[in-house]
Amino acid sequence: MRRPCLAAYPPGMTTISYPAKPSPGDRVAIVSAAAGLPGLFPLPYELGLERLRKDYGLEPVEYPTTRKMGATPQERADDLHAAFADPGIKAVIASIGGDDQITVLPLLDRELIRANPKPFFGMSDNTNLLMFLRNTGIIGYHGTSVMCELGRPGTMHPQTADSLRAALFTSGEYELRPAERWNDINRDWADPATFDAEPQTRPGTGWSWVNADQVVEGRSWGGCLEIVGWLLMADREIPQDLSEFDGGVLLLETSEEMPSADEVFWTLRNMGERGLLQRFSALLMGRAKTWSFEQPNGPEEAARYATEQREAVLRAMGVYAPNTLIVFDVDFGHTDPQLVIPYGGYVRVDGAARRITVTY
């Protein structure tokens, strides 16, 4: 059995680099390192696999836990090891998120993965693995899961599809653009009628800029705010020397759990007390998801939730990092479309020009 790397964070500064990209015709691993929801909801999953084959020319490869709900952390770690160690696999893509991937991290063999770097695509609970990879020296990609983005009813959102294609197959700069139309209301994946038409979308509202009299270019860090908070509480994958974040770009977004404005403020406040918020020169805040099956907000409630979240962010940043360049409503979170952002890679935020450019 492989000896897992139990260190909370690798000693010293880690050199971070972009792994080699796949090409059409290559095999890619589909993993459920967070939750085996493909076993419960096969319709969006199978649709996502079909699009990987037909639209992107990639051949998906499943593993023992890809469709297995309740797989143990060790079983999921074994699948990740197999995917990264296989020289025939050219990228690794998450099926979906979950809520306990943090329990997989201590079981991962850091040296095995470092020796076999590959692009990894995922978000939400996969913030855990993205942060692990960054600390291992591998740039990952925040965005796109098989079930949500690739398995979107009707067709993929064109901005998601274009961003994913660029991140998968190209290198160099890619300019993110505000969503022309967006959505955050889901339909029942168990109902076949859900997949007969695209989701209803709303006109885009653009990005909102704060302290936009500056240009910031740095490496990204962050992810789903709830998961970042859990990692901080467990003291997992957080460097002791926070200076490596100096001048960087903080990515934060909230999930379908829809944390209250108070919870958002408390998490950011505690990040400030730890000395994290002050290190970053820019914050990209993902568009808030304002609807869930548990909280099916109407338009007024949804708008109020988003406004209260923004005010909570501004309150915390005003205390701990008042001069930080902030952009609200960037489409990289739990809403649709979902733009892919290199995790640990370079992001340029040009306030004067109102442009965000990433390097894939």
Side-chain angles (χ1 to χ4, degrees), residues 11-299:
M13 293 288 287
T14 301
T15 300
I16 310 171
S17 59
Y18 288 85
K21 300 295 185 78
S23 299
D26 283 343
R27 299 164 71 236
V28 296
I30 309 301
V31 296
S32 295
L37 286 170
L40 296 182
F41 300 101
L43 294 177
Y45 179 65
E46 294 289 352
L47 178 57
L49 295 183
E50 180 183 0
R51 286 189 177 133
L52 274 175
R53 294 187 184 100
K54 292 185 176 180
D55 297 347
Y56 293 89
L58 297 170
E59 183 55 40
V61 178
E62 297 186 45
Y63 290 78
T65 67
T66 303
R67 301 188 191 225
K68 180 181 178 180
M69 278 297 294
T72 67
Q74 185 62 63
E75 289 174 319
R76 286 176 275 160
D78 289 345
D79 280 359
L80 286 170
H81 291 149
F84 276 93
D86 185 345
I89 295 294
K90 302 303 182 182
V92 182
I93 303 175
S95 67
I96 198 169
D99 64 10
D100 76 340
Q101 195 177 92
I102 194 170
T103 64
V104 176
L105 294 187
L107 305 173
L108 295 179
D109 187 332
R110 197 181 296 274
E111 294 310 314
L112 180 150
I113 293 174
R114 180 182 282 123
N116 298 277
K118 290 169 185 176
F120 171 75
F121 291 79
M123 47 83 68
S124 194
D125 199 31
N126 293 288
T127 294
N128 289 280
L129 188 51
L130 288 166
M131 200 176 292
F132 176 92
L133 291 171
R134 183 191 189 278
N135 294 341
T136 304
I138 302 169
I139 292 171
Y141 294 89
H142 184 283
T144 306
S145 65
V146 174
M147 295 180 70
C148 296
E149 289 71 44
L150 283 156
R152 182 180 187 262
T155 186
M156 288 184 70
H157 192 293
Q159 288 178 269
T160 302
D162 188 73
S163 175
L164 175 60
R165 186 176 302 279
L168 273 169
F169 299 130
T170 71
S171 299
E173 292 188 347
Y174 180 90
E175 184 173 349
L176 307 184
R177 297 188 182 278
E180 296 175 4
R181 299 192 65 85
W182 69 281
N183 174 59
D184 69 345
I185 298 176
N186 305 113
R187 291 181 289 172
D188 184 2
W189 278 346
D191 183 358
T194 291
F195 299 90
D196 291 341
E198 289 188 57
Q200 292 186 351
T201 58
R202 288 167 270 176
T205 55
W207 298 332
S208 296
W209 297 73
V210 178
N211 295 327
D213 57 345
Q214 53 191 304
V215 177
V216 173
E217 183 171 3
R219 291 189 181 273
S220 66
W221 184 87
C224 180
L225 182 67
E226 296 100 299
I227 306 304
V228 171
W230 295 354
L231 286 161
L232 286 164
M233 282 189 282
D235 202 20
R236 294 253 173 94
E237 299 300 318
I238 308 299
Q240 296 302 309
D241 182 2
L242 300 181
S243 65
E244 75 162 78
F245 296 134
D246 287 352
V249 177
L250 180 60
L251 314 173
L252 292 176
E253 54 92 17
T254 53
S255 76
E256 73 279 2
E257 296 298 324
M258 294 172 57
S260 69
D262 283 341
E263 291 173 294
V264 170
F265 173 75
W266 293 331
T267 301
L268 289 171
R269 180 189 63 189
N270 294 341
M271 291 173 68
E273 288 295 321
R274 186 157 181 168
L276 267 171
L277 289 187
Q278 302 89 318
R279 297 289 183 174
F280 296 92
S281 294
L283 165 62
L284 303 186
M285 194 73 199
R287 185 187 299 277
K289 183 167 176 59
T290 62
W291 186 99
S292 71
F293 287 106
E294 291 73 26
Q295 293 181 262
N297 286 334

Side-chain angles (χ1 to χ4, degrees), residues 142 176-179 205-209 249-254 283-289 310 326-341 347 349 355-356 358:
H142 184 283
L176 307 184
R177 297 188 182 278
T205 55
W207 298 332
S208 296
W209 297 73
V249 177
L250 180 60
L251 314 173
L252 292 176
E253 54 92 17
T254 53
L283 165 62
L284 303 186
M285 194 73 199
R287 185 187 299 277
K289 183 167 176 59
R310 181 175 303 186
I326 306 173
V327 191
F328 286 99
D329 294 337
V330 184
D331 297 276
F332 66 89
H334 281 72
T335 57
D336 174 46
Q338 188 183 96
L339 304 175
V340 178
I341 300 183
V347 179
V349 188
R355 296 176 66 184
I356 302 174
V358 300

